């Protein structure tokens, strides 16, 4: 069974304090690993898709990396507006198009 | 280019009533996915549809739940005889192709069963 575990569950940072969020996964044949941002009361907002180990993608203060067992979302010099829940999901080659989500990391950035 | 549109945003139903949730995919997208987010839990896949076809309903409860995506009009997730445990946020996502490299989500429908 495909599994996704995100850590930590919650993370408090001061503005400007860089950190990383972890997403560990077990999947039978990874087709893609997805990162989303979700604000309270809103739907998930697509950030990145990573396809193979060693791949990296960046968007503003966010950088996502992928290994064979985990993915990291690095946040450089975060701002209060980066506060949100970050979701990781995997798509298995044998599972059609469904995404298996982790529980998310709730990030709070204080000014 | 409008995003994925879901309505209603909030829906209150009494136990035993029916709930109908609607989802209009992004323009040009013919693949629709429904997910459920229970309080304090992660998003769980329910069903994957293309126009007039259910492709994968492995995450759908066997009873009371059904989904359709007709040739014309939005995708509908229907919950019959709702119970308190059905209270959740229901999200729809769409993608333009089978590979689903970028699935875009709507704002969700928050169902409350009283």
């Amino acid at each position: 069974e495909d599994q996704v575990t995100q850590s930590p569950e919650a993370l408090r940072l001061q503005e400007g304090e860089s950190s990383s969020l972890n997403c560990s996964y077990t999947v039978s044949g990874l087709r893609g690993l997805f990162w989303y941002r979700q604000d309270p009361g809103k739907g998930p907002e697509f950030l990145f898709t990573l396809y193979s180990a060693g791949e990296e993608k960046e968007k503003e203060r966010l950088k996502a990396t992928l290994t064979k067992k985990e993915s990291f979302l690095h946040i450089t010099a975060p701002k209060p507006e980066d506060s949100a829940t970050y979701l990781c999901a995997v798509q298995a080659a044998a599972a059609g198009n469904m995404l298996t989500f982790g529980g998310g990391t709730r990030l709070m950035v204080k000014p | 280019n409008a995003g994925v549109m879901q309505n209603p945003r909030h829906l209150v139903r009494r136990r035993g009533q029916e709930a109908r949730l609607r989802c209009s995919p992004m323009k040009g997208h013919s693949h629709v996915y429904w997910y459920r987010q229970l309080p304090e839990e992660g998003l769980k896949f329910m069903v994957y549809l293309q126009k007039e076809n259910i492709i994968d309903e492995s995450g759908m409860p066997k009873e009371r739940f059904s989904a359709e995506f007709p040739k014309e009009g939005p995708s509908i997730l229907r919950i019959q005889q709702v119970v308190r445990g059905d209270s959740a946020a229901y999200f729809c996502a769409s993608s333009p192709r089978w590979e689903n490299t970028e699935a875009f989500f709507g704002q969700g429908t928050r169902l409350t069963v009283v």
Side-chain angles (χ1 to χ4, degrees):
Chain A
E1 184 179 327
D2 303 331
Q3 282 194 313
V4 181
T5 303
Q6 291 188 247
S7 62
E9 289 187 10
L11 180 62
R12 293 175 184 265
L13 298 174
Q14 287 296 130
E15 184 172 1
E17 180 186 0
S18 301
S19 189
S20 295
L21 281 55
N22 177 263
C23 171
S24 298
Y25 64 91
T26 55
V27 63
S28 51
L30 180 71
R31 186 193 296 167
L33 185 140
F34 295 68
W35 281 99
Y36 287 88
R37 168 191 171 131
Q38 187 175 24
D39 292 293
K42 301 283 185 67
E45 175 190 342
F46 173 79
L47 294 174
F48 306 107
T49 307
L50 302 167
Y51 297 102
S52 57
E55 188 175 0
E56 298 182 352
K57 287 191 176 176
E58 287 187 68
K59 180 180 179 180
E60 297 181 355
R61 294 178 292 282
L62 300 176
K63 178 180 176 181
T65 62
L66 180 65
T67 72
K68 288 187 178 180
K69 293 183 179 180
E70 56 192 350
S71 176
F72 291 95
L73 185 65
H74 307 276
I75 303 178
T76 302
K79 298 182 178 181
E81 54 262 41
D82 294 322
S83 298
T85 296
Y86 291 85
L87 302 172
C88 171
V90 296
Q91 187 181 60
N97 274 348
M98 64 175 280
L99 297 176
T100 300
F101 280 86
T105 292
R106 191 169 71 253
L107 174 66
M108 292 154 281
V109 182
K110 292 189 176 288
Chain B
N1 186 16
V4 178
M5 304 300 292
Q6 290 188 247
N7 66 80
R9 291 292 310 277
H10 300 274
L11 182 62
V12 179
R13 284 287 177 266
R14 295 186 184 279
R15 281 178 293 170
Q17 290 185 320
E18 178 179 289
R20 280 184 177 241
L21 288 61
R22 296 174 189 78
C23 168
S24 296
M26 288 180 70
K27 187 176 181 180
H29 289 196
S30 58
H31 302 253
V32 165
Y33 316 83
W34 285 93
Y35 288 78
R36 177 165 66 174
Q37 190 170 39
L38 292 165
E40 306 304 322
E41 291 190 23
L43 283 155
K44 302 289 185 190
F45 168 80
M46 299 181 75
V47 63
Y48 163 39
L49 311 104
Q50 293 180 37
K51 287 283 187 180
E52 300 184 281
N53 283 304
I54 297 175
I55 306 302
D56 181 354
E57 55 182 350
S58 58
M60 193 89 102
K62 293 286 187 285
E63 297 178 351
R64 301 187 298 107
F65 285 73
S66 62
E68 63 176 6
F69 189 15
K71 187 176 180 181
E72 301 290 338
S75 175
I76 306 286
L77 179 67
R78 182 181 176 204
I79 311 172
Q80 295 178 290
Q81 299 176 318
V82 296
V83 300
R84 288 235 171 97
D86 296 333
S87 295
Y90 292 82
F91 291 97
C92 169
S94 73
S95 66
R97 62 188 69 83
W98 186 84
E99 289 85 2
N100 189 22
T101 53
E102 293 181 0
F104 296 92
F105 282 79
Q107 295 301 305
T109 293
R110 275 147 191 85
L111 172 66
T112 302
V113 180
V114 297

mmCIF file of all heavy atoms in Angstrom, chain A residues 6-8 11 13 19-24 35-36 62-63 65 71-75 84-87 104-107:
data_model
loop_
_atom_site.group_PDB
_atom_site.id
_atom_site.type_symbol
_atom_site.label_atom_id
_atom_site.label_comp_id
_atom_site.label_asym_id
_atom_site.label_seq_id
_atom_site.Cartn_x
_atom_site.Cartn_y
_atom_site.Cartn_z
ATOM 1 N N GLN A 6 4.495 12.956 6.415
ATOM 2 C CA GLN A 6 5.108 14.275 6.420
ATOM 3 C C GLN A 6 5.526 14.652 7.842
ATOM 4 O O GLN A 6 4.834 14.350 8.816
ATOM 5 C CB GLN A 6 4.129 15.323 5.883
ATOM 6 C CG GLN A 6 3.856 15.164 4.406
ATOM 7 C CD GLN A 6 3.055 16.299 3.837
ATOM 8 O OE1 GLN A 6 1.915 16.131 3.426
ATOM 9 N NE2 GLN A 6 3.663 17.490 3.804
ATOM 10 N N SER A 7 6.677 15.315 7.925
ATOM 11 C CA SER A 7 7.163 15.784 9.224
ATOM 12 C C SER A 7 7.881 17.116 9.062
ATOM 13 O O SER A 7 8.442 17.396 7.994
ATOM 14 C CB SER A 7 8.102 14.743 9.846
ATOM 15 O OG SER A 7 9.239 14.546 9.030
ATOM 16 N N PRO A 8 7.824 17.959 10.111
ATOM 17 C CA PRO A 8 7.001 17.787 11.307
ATOM 18 C C PRO A 8 5.526 18.054 10.992
ATOM 19 O O PRO A 8 5.200 18.518 9.911
ATOM 20 C CB PRO A 8 7.563 18.851 12.245
ATOM 21 C CG PRO A 8 8.015 19.938 11.325
ATOM 22 C CD PRO A 8 8.543 19.232 10.100
ATOM 23 N N LEU A 11 5.241 23.494 12.331
ATOM 24 C CA LEU A 11 6.543 24.138 12.369
ATOM 25 C C LEU A 11 6.344 25.639 12.539
ATOM 26 O O LEU A 11 5.631 26.261 11.747
ATOM 27 C CB LEU A 11 7.313 23.846 11.081
ATOM 28 C CG LEU A 11 8.704 24.437 10.934
ATOM 29 C CD1 LEU A 11 9.643 23.896 12.004
ATOM 30 C CD2 LEU A 11 9.271 24.134 9.555
ATOM 31 N N LEU A 13 8.291 29.221 12.672
ATOM 32 C CA LEU A 13 9.536 29.890 12.287
ATOM 33 C C LEU A 13 9.409 31.384 12.495
ATOM 34 O O LEU A 13 8.307 31.943 12.404
ATOM 35 C CB LEU A 13 9.859 29.607 10.818
ATOM 36 C CG LEU A 13 10.101 28.155 10.400
ATOM 37 C CD1 LEU A 13 10.255 28.068 8.879
ATOM 38 C CD2 LEU A 13 11.334 27.600 11.079
ATOM 39 N N SER A 19 14.192 26.825 6.708
ATOM 40 C CA SER A 19 13.996 25.480 7.221
ATOM 41 C C SER A 19 13.543 24.550 6.090
ATOM 42 O O SER A 19 13.402 24.977 4.937
ATOM 43 C CB SER A 19 12.949 25.491 8.341
ATOM 44 O OG SER A 19 12.881 24.240 8.994
ATOM 45 N N SER A 20 13.349 23.278 6.443
ATOM 46 C CA SER A 20 12.911 22.284 5.456
ATOM 47 C C SER A 20 11.774 21.446 6.006
ATOM 48 O O SER A 20 11.747 21.126 7.196
ATOM 49 C CB SER A 20 14.072 21.355 5.081
ATOM 50 O OG SER A 20 15.095 22.056 4.432
ATOM 51 N N LEU A 21 10.870 21.075 5.108
ATOM 52 C CA LEU A 21 9.775 20.164 5.428
ATOM 53 C C LEU A 21 10.083 18.833 4.747
ATOM 54 O O LEU A 21 10.576 18.800 3.615
ATOM 55 C CB LEU A 21 8.455 20.705 4.886
ATOM 56 C CG LEU A 21 7.733 21.814 5.642
ATOM 57 C CD1 LEU A 21 8.616 23.026 5.880
ATOM 58 C CD2 LEU A 21 6.467 22.209 4.903
ATOM 59 N N ASN A 22 9.761 17.739 5.441
ATOM 60 C CA ASN A 22 10.092 16.414 4.926
ATOM 61 C C ASN A 22 8.852 15.652 4.493
ATOM 62 O O ASN A 22 7.795 15.739 5.120
ATOM 63 C CB ASN A 22 10.841 15.607 5.994
ATOM 64 C CG ASN A 22 11.157 14.205 5.543
ATOM 65 O OD1 ASN A 22 10.432 13.264 5.851
ATOM 66 N ND2 ASN A 22 12.222 14.048 4.789
ATOM 67 N N CYS A 23 8.992 14.884 3.418
ATOM 68 C CA CYS A 23 7.938 14.001 2.940
ATOM 69 C C CYS A 23 8.585 12.652 2.622
ATOM 70 O O CYS A 23 9.332 12.543 1.654
ATOM 71 C CB CYS A 23 7.287 14.597 1.689
ATOM 72 S SG CYS A 23 6.136 13.482 0.847
ATOM 73 N N SER A 24 8.303 11.657 3.451
ATOM 74 C CA SER A 24 8.818 10.305 3.211
ATOM 75 C C SER A 24 7.729 9.473 2.555
ATOM 76 O O SER A 24 6.560 9.565 2.937
ATOM 77 C CB SER A 24 9.236 9.647 4.534
ATOM 78 O OG SER A 24 10.281 10.371 5.141
ATOM 79 N N TRP A 35 3.727 18.606 -4.632
ATOM 80 C CA TRP A 35 3.627 19.491 -3.472
ATOM 81 C C TRP A 35 2.511 20.494 -3.715
ATOM 82 O O TRP A 35 2.409 21.078 -4.808
ATOM 83 C CB TRP A 35 4.946 20.240 -3.232
ATOM 84 C CG TRP A 35 6.010 19.428 -2.548
ATOM 85 C CD1 TRP A 35 7.057 18.789 -3.137
ATOM 86 C CD2 TRP A 35 6.131 19.189 -1.139
ATOM 87 N NE1 TRP A 35 7.827 18.156 -2.179
ATOM 88 C CE2 TRP A 35 7.279 18.398 -0.945
ATOM 89 C CE3 TRP A 35 5.382 19.574 -0.022
ATOM 90 C CZ2 TRP A 35 7.702 17.966 0.318
ATOM 91 C CZ3 TRP A 35 5.794 19.153 1.231
ATOM 92 C CH2 TRP A 35 6.943 18.355 1.392
ATOM 93 N N TYR A 36 1.689 20.684 -2.663
ATOM 94 C CA TYR A 36 0.606 21.662 -2.706
ATOM 95 C C TYR A 36 0.686 22.537 -1.461
ATOM 96 O O TYR A 36 1.174 22.110 -0.418
ATOM 97 C CB TYR A 36 -0.772 20.978 -2.712
ATOM 98 C CG TYR A 36 -1.153 20.298 -4.001
ATOM 99 C CD1 TYR A 36 -0.797 18.977 -4.244
ATOM 100 C CD2 TYR A 36 -1.891 20.975 -4.969
ATOM 101 C CE1 TYR A 36 -1.156 18.347 -5.416
ATOM 102 C CE2 TYR A 36 -2.267 20.348 -6.146
ATOM 103 C CZ TYR A 36 -1.898 19.039 -6.365
ATOM 104 O OH TYR A 36 -2.257 18.421 -7.529
ATOM 105 N N LEU A 62 10.638 28.900 -2.365
ATOM 106 C CA LEU A 62 10.468 27.465 -2.198
ATOM 107 C C LEU A 62 11.339 26.680 -3.178
ATOM 108 O O LEU A 62 11.455 27.049 -4.348
ATOM 109 C CB LEU A 62 9.007 27.076 -2.416
ATOM 110 C CG LEU A 62 7.980 27.715 -1.486
ATOM 111 C CD1 LEU A 62 6.573 27.295 -1.907
ATOM 112 C CD2 LEU A 62 8.235 27.338 -0.047
ATOM 113 N N LYS A 63 11.909 25.585 -2.661
ATOM 114 C CA LYS A 63 12.684 24.688 -3.508
ATOM 115 C C LYS A 63 12.367 23.266 -3.095
ATOM 116 O O LYS A 63 12.478 22.917 -1.921
ATOM 117 C CB LYS A 63 14.179 24.944 -3.345
ATOM 118 C CG LYS A 63 15.069 24.026 -4.167
ATOM 119 C CD LYS A 63 16.535 24.379 -3.910
ATOM 120 C CE LYS A 63 17.479 23.450 -4.617
ATOM 121 N NZ LYS A 63 18.901 23.807 -4.334
ATOM 122 N N THR A 65 13.047 19.124 -3.591
ATOM 123 C CA THR A 65 14.019 18.139 -4.049
ATOM 124 C C THR A 65 13.450 16.750 -3.845
ATOM 125 O O THR A 65 12.535 16.543 -3.038
ATOM 126 C CB THR A 65 15.346 18.279 -3.286
ATOM 127 O OG1 THR A 65 15.103 18.037 -1.884
ATOM 128 C CG2 THR A 65 15.940 19.667 -3.459
ATOM 129 N N SER A 71 11.176 13.479 -0.121
ATOM 130 C CA SER A 71 11.263 14.769 -0.778
ATOM 131 C C SER A 71 11.349 15.825 0.305
ATOM 132 O O SER A 71 10.807 15.659 1.404
ATOM 133 C CB SER A 71 10.034 15.006 -1.659
ATOM 134 O OG SER A 71 10.075 16.305 -2.238
ATOM 135 N N PHE A 72 12.053 16.893 -0.013
ATOM 136 C CA PHE A 72 12.161 18.020 0.914
ATOM 137 C C PHE A 72 11.618 19.265 0.239
ATOM 138 O O PHE A 72 11.830 19.483 -0.960
ATOM 139 C CB PHE A 72 13.621 18.251 1.319
ATOM 140 C CG PHE A 72 14.196 17.156 2.180
ATOM 141 C CD1 PHE A 72 14.911 16.123 1.609
ATOM 142 C CD2 PHE A 72 14.007 17.165 3.551
ATOM 143 C CE1 PHE A 72 15.443 15.106 2.402
ATOM 144 C CE2 PHE A 72 14.534 16.154 4.346
ATOM 145 C CZ PHE A 72 15.247 15.129 3.764
ATOM 146 N N LEU A 73 10.933 20.068 1.043
ATOM 147 C CA LEU A 73 10.524 21.394 0.587
ATOM 148 C C LEU A 73 11.305 22.399 1.435
ATOM 149 O O LEU A 73 11.066 22.522 2.642
ATOM 150 C CB LEU A 73 9.021 21.593 0.754
ATOM 151 C CG LEU A 73 8.458 22.904 0.209
ATOM 152 C CD1 LEU A 73 8.611 22.953 -1.319
ATOM 153 C CD2 LEU A 73 6.987 23.060 0.576
ATOM 154 N N HIS A 74 12.269 23.041 0.808
ATOM 155 C CA HIS A 74 13.115 24.003 1.503
ATOM 156 C C HIS A 74 12.486 25.380 1.383
ATOM 157 O O HIS A 74 12.100 25.801 0.283
ATOM 158 C CB HIS A 74 14.517 24.020 0.889
ATOM 159 C CG HIS A 74 15.158 22.674 0.801
ATOM 160 N ND1 HIS A 74 15.836 22.083 1.854
ATOM 161 C CD2 HIS A 74 15.207 21.787 -0.229
ATOM 162 C CE1 HIS A 74 16.276 20.902 1.478
ATOM 163 N NE2 HIS A 74 15.910 20.685 0.224
ATOM 164 N N ILE A 75 12.398 26.069 2.511
ATOM 165 C CA ILE A 75 11.844 27.416 2.503
ATOM 166 C C ILE A 75 12.948 28.376 2.947
ATOM 167 O O ILE A 75 13.426 28.301 4.090
ATOM 168 C CB ILE A 75 10.627 27.528 3.437
ATOM 169 C CG1 ILE A 75 9.580 26.512 3.024
ATOM 170 C CG2 ILE A 75 10.057 28.936 3.412
ATOM 171 C CD1 ILE A 75 8.351 26.494 3.901
ATOM 172 N N ALA A 84 0.957 28.462 5.983
ATOM 173 C CA ALA A 84 -0.055 27.630 5.325
ATOM 174 C C ALA A 84 0.230 26.175 5.706
ATOM 175 O O ALA A 84 1.224 25.886 6.376
ATOM 176 C CB ALA A 84 0.013 27.781 3.803
ATOM 177 N N THR A 85 -0.621 25.280 5.259
ATOM 178 C CA THR A 85 -0.337 23.844 5.361
ATOM 179 C C THR A 85 0.224 23.381 4.029
ATOM 180 O O THR A 85 -0.349 23.663 2.972
ATOM 181 C CB THR A 85 -1.596 23.048 5.724
ATOM 182 O OG1 THR A 85 -2.044 23.447 7.021
ATOM 183 C CG2 THR A 85 -1.292 21.557 5.742
ATOM 184 N N TYR A 86 1.348 22.691 4.073
ATOM 185 C CA TYR A 86 1.992 22.183 2.861
ATOM 186 C C TYR A 86 1.743 20.684 2.774
ATOM 187 O O TYR A 86 2.046 19.938 3.702
ATOM 188 C CB TYR A 86 3.475 22.529 2.866
ATOM 189 C CG TYR A 86 3.693 24.017 2.691
ATOM 190 C CD1 TYR A 86 3.645 24.878 3.783
ATOM 191 C CD2 TYR A 86 3.887 24.563 1.422
ATOM 192 C CE1 TYR A 86 3.797 26.250 3.616
ATOM 193 C CE2 TYR A 86 4.041 25.933 1.248
ATOM 194 C CZ TYR A 86 3.991 26.768 2.351
ATOM 195 O OH TYR A 86 4.130 28.125 2.182
ATOM 196 N N LEU A 87 1.194 20.291 1.636
ATOM 197 C CA LEU A 87 0.797 18.900 1.418
ATOM 198 C C LEU A 87 1.706 18.247 0.391
ATOM 199 O O LEU A 87 2.044 18.851 -0.625
ATOM 200 C CB LEU A 87 -0.641 18.831 0.909
ATOM 201 C CG LEU A 87 -1.725 19.461 1.786
ATOM 202 C CD1 LEU A 87 -3.056 19.487 1.041
ATOM 203 C CD2 LEU A 87 -1.859 18.704 3.083
ATOM 204 N N GLY A 104 0.249 16.443 5.909
ATOM 205 C CA GLY A 104 0.551 17.865 5.815
ATOM 206 C C GLY A 104 1.442 18.370 6.927
ATOM 207 O O GLY A 104 1.550 17.754 8.003
ATOM 208 N N THR A 105 2.120 19.473 6.650
ATOM 209 C CA THR A 105 2.883 20.205 7.667
ATOM 210 C C THR A 105 2.283 21.603 7.761
ATOM 211 O O THR A 105 2.216 22.316 6.750
ATOM 212 C CB THR A 105 4.372 20.317 7.303
ATOM 213 O OG1 THR A 105 4.982 19.038 7.355
ATOM 214 C CG2 THR A 105 5.095 21.254 8.277
ATOM 215 N N ARG A 106 1.864 21.972 8.970
ATOM 216 C CA ARG A 106 1.297 23.309 9.176
ATOM 217 C C ARG A 106 2.420 24.262 9.531
ATOM 218 O O ARG A 106 3.047 24.132 10.583
ATOM 219 C CB ARG A 106 0.245 23.269 10.274
ATOM 220 C CG ARG A 106 -0.577 24.535 10.367
ATOM 221 C CD ARG A 106 -1.778 24.370 11.287
ATOM 222 N NE ARG A 106 -1.398 24.286 12.680
ATOM 223 C CZ ARG A 106 -1.437 23.164 13.402
ATOM 224 N NH1 ARG A 106 -1.844 22.029 12.866
ATOM 225 N NH2 ARG A 106 -1.091 23.170 14.673
ATOM 226 N N LEU A 107 2.704 25.198 8.657
ATOM 227 C CA LEU A 107 3.803 26.152 8.830
ATOM 228 C C LEU A 107 3.259 27.496 9.306
ATOM 229 O O LEU A 107 2.317 28.031 8.714
ATOM 230 C CB LEU A 107 4.553 26.345 7.514
ATOM 231 C CG LEU A 107 5.636 27.427 7.519
ATOM 232 C CD1 LEU A 107 6.778 27.023 8.450
ATOM 233 C CD2 LEU A 107 6.160 27.665 6.111
#
